[in-house]
Amino acid sequence: MNASYPRIRHRGTALIRRRLSAEAPPRVKRELLARDVVRLAFYLPHDHPDIASGVNHAIESYLRAVGQGPGTIHHAVINDDEGDALTEERWNYIRELLRPERPFRFIEELDEATAHRLEKRGYATQLLLDGGWRGRNGYQLWYHARLPWRVPSQDSVSIFTATLPTEYLELHGAMRVRDLALDMASRLRFASGHVGLALHFYWMLRTEDERLRTELARYPGIDLRTAWLPPTRLGVRVDGVHWLNFLAQPVLGQLGGTAVLRSRLHAPETTVHELDEERVVVSLGERPEAGDLSTRQTLPAYRELARVLEPWLEPLRLSEQTRSDKPPRYSDMRFTKDEAQRWWRRFLD
């Protein structure tokens, strides 16, 4: 029998700017604002031409696993367009966009106006596949290719993420999700990556949503990193501890290599599997765990790996997430400063 997981479906109101008349107030409609998912994420410190083959393979692997159609993936946002249905014409455009060939290699080769436009939008290529604006079914794939500078910032990364509804995990089992993750990762030139339970946000919470914040604080294994801005400046840092943790160079080398890493992890459920000489995946059990602090399920294997990885974990950058509330709140979770710090260090303190 497969495990069941906390079902978190937060519904609320989002302001719709359409008015029934000039005098009428804006319409308010209840909709899904956040939901539990399984999240797969890979951070690639390379430009698109260098990772195009692996990205295409990962997209194909994901779509083979989840299929296409009204219940899964049938909508695409391509670069900065407004999004539309996934027709064959749009698929042809996506395939062309994801080819490794480019009319230029580095930003410095472009004319000033074009370079400025790319700098302003902040990426070279972006693709979002999902269930549409109102089809919040838990299936999503997002690829964000960094700007190709001749001398790139050491912090800049391209990002590849995908989500599955928790029901997919419950129906097919953790082994199917693990196999999918390994297949997607097999050709990706990642520095780090992960798979685990997460909360996916379609809209920020309200300051008044204290009950939901309290509930989520019970579950250390549900990742809330998605509430912050996308970690395009992650570099070779690691974005926390999860069920499956993909590690490559330089962090793996700085840890002393696979053998040394394995010798420092003693939890019986933890395994370290070599993907090749340069990459490993650390599994914290046979399936992802939410934990539950109210029943003292503190996830000791997660805490052990967090202590080993602490020097390489992503720091909390509150100044980049500040909103205009008084007192200030941070991220789509609308955390106070103390709440944000406690969650960020939940496996270390």
Side-chain angles (χ1 to χ4, degrees):
M1 182 177 178
N2 291 327
S4 59
Y5 295 93
R7 190 72 78 236
I8 300 171
R9 305 291 158 83
H10 178 59
R11 289 176 171 82
T13 56
L15 193 65
I16 299 176
R17 297 181 182 277
R18 182 165 60 89
R19 295 172 181 267
L20 297 177
S21 68
E23 294 77 24
R27 294 183 61 190
V28 174
K29 181 181 178 181
R30 287 183 60 81
E31 57 187 296
L32 186 63
L33 304 182
R35 63 166 294 152
D36 54 287
V37 296
V38 178
R39 184 170 185 257
L40 305 86
F42 299 94
Y43 304 104
L44 310 105
H46 303 283
D47 302 335
H48 176 76
D50 303 319
I51 56 177
S53 175
V55 166
N56 277 285
H57 172 79
I59 292 173
E60 292 168 2
S61 298
Y62 178 78
L63 292 176
R64 278 197 304 270
V66 308
Q68 297 181 56
T72 56
I73 298 292
H74 61 92
H75 181 269
V77 177
I78 305 171
N79 284 337
D80 51 2
D81 72 12
E82 295 184 354
D84 207 342
L86 259 175
T87 61
E88 186 58 33
E89 180 181 7
R90 281 176 74 75
W91 265 122
N92 290 335
Y93 180 38
I94 290 170
R95 294 185 189 103
E96 187 66 27
L97 187 73
L98 294 177
R99 288 168 56 87
E101 294 82 11
R102 286 287 187 267
F104 68 97
R105 180 60 182 87
F106 299 111
I107 289 289
E108 290 88 345
E109 299 169 7
L110 298 172
D111 63 81
E112 185 175 349
T114 304
H116 178 72
R117 179 175 61 84
L118 290 180
E119 285 185 69
K120 185 175 181 180
R121 77 181 191 182
Y123 59 84
T125 299
Q126 184 161 259
L127 174 66
L128 177 70
L129 305 179
D130 61 14
W133 296 115
R134 300 300 177 194
R136 297 172 178 180
N137 55 30
Y139 292 99
Q140 185 187 91
L141 184 148
W142 181 57
Y143 172 55
H144 173 106
R146 71 181 188 181
L147 291 173
W149 293 103
R150 194 177 299 276
V151 181
S153 166
Q154 293 183 348
D155 292 335
S156 180
V157 292
S158 298
I159 302 175
F160 188 101
T161 72
T163 63
L164 303 166
T166 313
E167 294 91 332
Y168 184 97
L169 169 65
E170 294 171 341
L171 177 64
H172 297 289
M175 187 58 68
R176 175 83 69 89
V177 175
R178 177 188 171 90
D179 289 345
L180 171 59
L182 292 176
D183 188 24
M184 291 173 65
S186 62
R187 302 184 192 177
L188 287 175
R189 298 178 60 188
F190 59 81
S192 67
H194 73 257
V195 181
L197 301 174
L199 195 68
H200 186 81
F201 290 83
Y202 300 102
W203 196 258
M204 70 179 66
L205 304 185
R206 302 172 304 165
T207 302
E208 295 80 13
D209 289 325
E210 192 62 41
R211 181 176 178 180
L212 179 61
R213 277 189 293 276
T214 300
E215 179 185 7
L216 289 168
R218 288 175 50 192
Y219 304 116
I222 297 180
D223 183 24
L224 304 180
R225 174 62 183 79
T226 51
W228 273 262
L229 295 174
T232 56
R233 311 299 299 179
L234 184 70
V236 297
R237 293 278 185 169
V238 179
D239 81 332
V241 170
H242 313 264
W243 169 46
L244 303 180
N245 304 270
F246 292 83
L247 299 172
Q249 302 302 330
V251 170
L252 183 59
Q254 293 167 354
L255 282 163
T258 305
V260 172
L261 173 61
R262 186 179 286 119
S263 72
R264 298 180 65 185
L265 299 173
H266 307 289
E269 62 266 44
T270 298
T271 61
V272 181
H273 172 68
E274 286 186 272
L275 302 176
D276 52 44
E277 293 181 354
E278 300 290 315
R279 307 182 305 165
V280 301
V281 57
V282 181
S283 304
L284 304 182
E286 295 182 354
R287 61 179 184 267
E289 300 284 354
D292 190 341
L293 299 184
S294 69
T295 57
R296 299 186 180 180
Q297 298 176 43
T298 60
L299 304 181
Y302 289 60
R303 296 178 66 84
E304 179 183 60
L305 180 59
R307 289 192 292 271
V308 171
L309 293 179
E310 183 173 7
W312 296 276
L313 292 178
E314 176 189 17
L316 176 61
R317 298 184 178 94
L318 284 176
S319 61
E320 297 179 5
Q321 326 299 339
T322 304
R323 306 292 184 181
S324 59
D325 300 65
K326 296 181 180 179
R329 296 278 181 151
Y330 302 91
S331 86
D332 286 351
M333 278 293 298
R334 313 297 276 167
F335 276 138
T336 66
K337 182 177 180 180
D338 287 344
E339 288 171 340
Q341 291 174 334
R342 282 198 302 272
W343 184 82
W344 210 262
R345 293 187 56 83
R346 68 197 183 285
F347 292 131
L348 294 170
D349 295 336

